[in-house]
């Protein structure tokens, strides 16, 4: 139907591939490609018509002047920073989206340490430096296939207007042999539904929030077992999660939602290493001079997680209908 007004527009972006090797010789300009998914809800010119939902997928390509210093493993991400839209006519609208790219480069580093002079009476003062090294990266996928019913049984869902997903970690268990990740997929739905009361059928817009729990067991290879990991970083990717309306059972009136897709988990295992470094030195008999070089290193001492409840009341403008 012809468009009268855009009620809501939201967008998300993915990047393919999210991990790739970069080199200072070949990747002065790094090619990043992916897809932008735009969800649009608009009010039509037909007064009796409910809001219309459109899902659009637009490919993009971007060249990043990265100029890496060394051969590295790159992990990239993309998010929608800003979105602007304008109605051209009743059949067209124009969208301007600003994307923000982030990247992490992981490469091997070698440090040369001065340990002393052989066969010399060199007195040294030493200190212990702690450094955290990325020792292991693991990835695993878990399939999500869950059905759930809407809370209001008197309303039958007709079609989905908008669907959003957020994946969070609930808890983790790290041992020398495996990593167990427990998390939640939070699904937020906006859908159109009709009342099931006989001939007096009424169409309304409904909202439903659902939480789906999942658990992943990620084994650690034998050569990396027996280590004490002082930090574990977790990230999730869920680009293909979708929700559909399905009929359950023999009766067509039993309608439910079904969420399907894959959740990819990426974990980074960090190990703390200790190194004795010389911070001062002198010779009892000879004139001894030394120069010091400063190197920046990072040390993750520990990690913590917390949970908080947020509640906010949003006031509607005067004259706005509650629906």
């Amino acid at each position: 139907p012809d468009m009268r007004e855009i009620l809501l527009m939201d967008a998300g972006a993915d990047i393919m591939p999210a991990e790739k090797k970069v080199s200072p010789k070949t990747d002065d300009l790094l090619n990043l490609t992916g897809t932008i998914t735009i969800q649009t809800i608009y009010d039509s010119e037909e007064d009796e018509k409910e809001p219309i939902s459109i899902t659009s997928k637009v490919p993009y390509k971007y060249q990043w002047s990265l100029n890496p210093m060394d051969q590295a493993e790159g992990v990239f991400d993309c998010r929608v920073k800003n979105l602007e839209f304008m109605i051209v006519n009743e059949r067209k609208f124009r969208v301007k989206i600003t994307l923000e790219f982030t990247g992490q480069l992981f490469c091997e580093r070698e440090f040369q340490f001065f340990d002393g002079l052989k066969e010399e009476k060199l007195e040294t003062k030493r200190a212990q430096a702690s450094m955290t090294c990325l020792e292991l990266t693991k990835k695993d996928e878990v399939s999500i296939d869950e059905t759930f019913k809407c809370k209001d049984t008197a309303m039958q869902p007709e079609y989905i207007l908008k669907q959003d997903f957020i994946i969070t970690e609930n808890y983790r268990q790290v041992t020398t042999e495996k990593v167990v990740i427990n998390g939640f997929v939070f699904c937020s739905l906006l859908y159109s539904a009709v009342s099931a009361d006989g001939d007096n059928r009424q169409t309304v817009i409904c909202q439903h929030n659902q939480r789906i729990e999942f658990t992943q067991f990620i084994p650690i290879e034998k050569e990396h077992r027996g280590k004490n990991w002082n930090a574990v970083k977790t990230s999730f990717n869920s680009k293909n999660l979708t929700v559909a309306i399905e009929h359950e059972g023999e009766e067509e009136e039993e309608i439910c939602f079904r969420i399907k897709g894959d959740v990819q988990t990426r974990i980074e295992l960090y190990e703390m290493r200790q190194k004795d470094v010389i911070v001062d030195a002198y010779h009892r008999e000879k004139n001894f001079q030394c120069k010091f070089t400063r190197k920046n290193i990072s040390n993750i001492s520990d990690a913590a997680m917390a949970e908080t409840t947020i509640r906010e009341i949003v006031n509607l403008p005067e004259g706005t209908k509650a629906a």
Side-chain angles (χ1 to χ4, degrees):
D2 289 345
M3 181 184 304
R4 174 191 298 166
E5 178 187 6
I6 292 180
L7 302 176
L8 176 66
M9 183 180 292
D10 193 13
D14 61 8
I15 189 169
M16 293 296 293
E19 302 178 26
K20 62 186 302 184
K21 292 183 178 181
V22 295
S23 172
K25 297 180 180 179
T26 59
D27 288 321
D28 292 338
L29 289 175
L30 184 67
N31 291 321
L32 298 175
T33 58
T35 306
I36 303 171
T37 303
I38 304 170
Q39 297 185 79
T40 307
I41 301 175
Y42 73 90
D43 193 15
S44 67
E45 292 287 355
E46 301 177 19
D47 294 333
E48 298 180 356
K49 195 78 173 178
E50 289 298 316
I52 309 299
S53 174
I54 299 176
T55 301
S56 313
K57 291 184 179 294
V58 182
Y60 71 87
K61 183 177 181 180
Y62 177 67
Q63 286 189 325
W64 192 353
S65 299
L66 198 60
N67 296 325
M69 299 294 293
D70 300 297
Q71 179 83 23
E73 294 284 341
V75 180
F76 302 95
D77 193 15
C78 175
R79 75 176 186 92
V80 176
K81 186 177 182 180
N82 188 33
L83 185 147
E84 299 176 5
F85 60 85
M86 181 183 69
I87 296 178
V88 179
N89 54 43
E90 65 273 6
R91 306 296 292 177
K92 293 181 181 179
F93 57 92
R94 181 179 291 114
V95 184
K96 180 182 178 181
I97 292 176
T98 303
L99 299 179
E100 182 180 73
F101 296 94
T102 56
Q104 288 180 291
L105 301 183
F106 299 94
C107 57
E108 293 185 359
R109 278 278 185 258
E110 290 188 2
F111 294 100
Q112 298 295 329
F113 295 100
F114 176 67
D115 294 324
L117 297 174
K118 294 181 179 180
E119 300 178 359
E120 290 286 350
K121 297 179 180 179
L122 187 67
E123 298 292 332
T124 59
K125 180 182 178 182
R126 296 174 179 266
Q128 199 170 61
S130 300
M131 60 189 75
T132 303
C133 299
L134 175 62
E135 185 69 20
L136 185 63
T137 301
K138 298 285 292 181
K139 291 186 295 183
D140 195 25
E141 279 192 1
V142 60
S143 296
I144 304 294
D145 192 349
E146 295 281 343
T147 58
F148 54 91
K149 295 182 179 181
C150 55
K151 297 177 182 178
D152 190 356
T153 56
M155 306 301 295
Q156 291 186 351
E158 276 198 320
Y159 58 90
I160 296 174
L161 291 168
K162 193 175 186 295
Q163 49 186 309
D164 294 292
F165 305 97
I166 297 177
I167 304 176
T168 61
E169 179 183 348
N170 183 27
Y171 68 87
R172 75 169 73 109
Q173 181 184 6
V174 183
T175 67
T176 58
E177 297 182 353
K178 65 179 182 299
V179 178
V180 181
I181 303 292
N182 179 269
F184 294 117
V185 177
F186 290 93
C187 174
S188 179
L189 294 178
L190 193 67
Y191 64 95
S192 177
V194 295
S195 61
D197 298 336
D199 298 333
N200 187 16
R201 295 170 63 88
Q202 184 181 4
T203 304
V204 295
I205 304 298
C206 301
Q207 185 183 11
H208 182 85
N209 294 322
Q210 186 72 25
R211 187 180 71 175
I212 296 100
E213 185 178 2
F214 67 92
T215 303
Q216 282 183 286
F217 297 86
I218 305 177
I220 298 175
E221 291 82 359
K222 291 183 179 180
E223 57 267 23
H224 294 287
R225 293 179 181 176
K227 298 180 180 180
N228 293 321
W229 312 107
N230 67 306
V232 179
K233 293 177 68 176
T234 309
S235 59
F236 300 100
N237 189 341
S238 61
K239 302 304 181 184
N240 65 343
L241 284 176
T242 57
V243 177
I245 299 174
E246 293 189 354
H247 294 275
E248 189 180 43
E250 297 179 356
E251 299 181 6
E252 292 187 358
E253 294 182 355
E254 297 182 5
I255 300 177
C256 65
F257 296 104
R258 184 176 183 180
I259 177 172
K260 293 182 66 176
D262 300 314
V263 174
Q264 184 185 80
T265 304
R266 184 181 189 271
I267 59 171
E268 299 170 4
L269 298 169
Y270 291 87
E271 182 186 21
M272 182 186 293
R273 297 180 184 177
Q274 306 285 342
K275 175 65 180 178
D276 287 336
V277 295
I278 297 175
V279 295
D280 197 6
Y282 73 96
H283 201 284
R284 291 183 178 182
E285 301 174 356
K286 299 179 181 180
N287 183 18
F288 175 78
Q289 292 182 350
C290 60
K291 294 182 180 180
F292 292 94
T293 303
R294 184 179 296 272
K295 295 285 187 181
N296 289 327
I297 58 173
S298 296
N299 175 36
I300 303 175
S301 58
D302 208 341
M305 283 177 55
E307 186 175 307
T308 183
T309 302
I310 298 174
R311 181 183 180 186
E312 184 176 1
I313 298 175
V314 180
N315 294 322
L316 297 176
E318 292 185 4
T320 303
K321 295 180 180 180

